[in-house]
Amino acid sequence: MTPTRTAKAKDAILTAADELIRREGFARLTTKQIARAAGISEASIYYHYADKLDLVQAVLATHLARLLPVTRSLPERAGSGTVAANLEAVATALVSFYQHVIPVAAAAQTDAELLARFRRQLADSGQGPHRGVEVVADYLRAEQRLGRVSAAADPDAAAMLLVGACHQVAFESHLLGTPPPPSADPAALVAALLGLGGLTPQS
């Protein structure tokens, strides 16, 4: 395979696997189904991935790679724009991330080997659900130092509330098969958060 064809095949495999896992689940998913959906040979999957579990890890890593630029840059945005707009941007990214990842992560919960691999991967990379909370908390602390968030606010608790709410929005939408309600809009979540616990930005 040429580099271009290899990259295209890999992208097709990841896209097909992601869609099938979200639609069909993981337990009965086969590499033959993935190959058919991707329009490639089953052998091509094993050219790129050791096994089905390796492929699931790659799907999760793809979604994480889209989220990281948004979350990692959040603390650097302290002092620019508005607190509400900055939090809305990361909340929007988190909801989208969870909407894609929850069905895939559910596969890890039902497969002991995949869960063990996933845990090792998170430990080795220093990633995990806690990182989103830490980044939002770091951002709020930076805004506190600038006087744009009340000094009485608890950044860690506020970050947990926002990240947890984003996860809940995606979880409900996935479980019920319905779009999130207006009250779950990132702007509504952030507005509610800013009104709690003395978080409201100082004038």
Side-chain angles (χ1 to χ4, degrees):
M1 280 191 184
T2 64
T4 301
R5 285 185 62 192
T6 298
K8 286 183 177 179
K10 197 169 185 178
D11 287 344
I13 292 168
L14 286 174
T15 299
D18 188 20
E19 291 176 353
L20 285 168
I21 290 170
R22 286 191 281 125
R23 191 172 70 236
E24 309 290 344
F26 176 76
R28 292 181 294 176
L29 182 64
T30 66
T31 51
K32 189 171 294 185
Q33 287 176 294
I34 296 170
R36 189 182 307 118
I40 59 170
S41 68
E42 191 173 5
S44 295
I45 294 177
Y46 292 105
Y47 176 81
H48 296 286
Y49 303 101
D51 52 29
K52 193 169 71 170
L53 300 181
D54 189 31
L55 180 53
V56 172
Q57 285 182 295
V59 170
L60 288 168
T62 298
H63 291 302
L64 183 60
R66 293 174 187 147
L67 174 69
L68 287 179
V70 179
T71 56
R72 284 177 173 168
S73 66
L74 181 62
E76 299 168 8
R77 282 181 249 163
S80 64
T82 65
V83 174
N86 291 335
L87 290 177
E88 284 172 29
V90 77
T92 299
L94 283 169
V95 170
S96 177
F97 172 73
Y98 288 134
Q99 284 174 330
H100 285 90
V101 164
I102 282 175
V104 184
Q109 302 300 316
T110 58
D111 188 291
E113 184 181 353
L114 178 57
L115 181 58
R117 280 199 201 181
F118 190 43
R119 284 172 173 167
R120 285 197 299 272
Q121 184 186 50
L122 291 178
D124 291 343
S125 65
Q127 297 298 327
H130 61 290
R131 287 295 299 134
V133 177
E134 290 171 355
V135 167
V136 175
D138 287 345
Y139 165 73
L140 291 173
R141 269 188 282 273
E143 293 288 22
Q144 275 184 321
R145 290 192 290 272
L146 295 172
R148 302 211 311 165
V149 164
S150 170
D154 183 335
D156 295 298
M160 182 67 78
L161 287 171
L162 182 61
V163 175
C166 292
H167 184 278
Q168 180 67 11
V169 168
F171 176 71
E172 281 190 15
S173 181
H174 171 66
L175 189 65
L176 300 177
T178 58
S183 60
D185 181 81
L189 295 178
V190 170
L193 180 70
L194 291 176
L196 295 172
L199 246 187
T200 304
Q202 302 297 295
S203 58

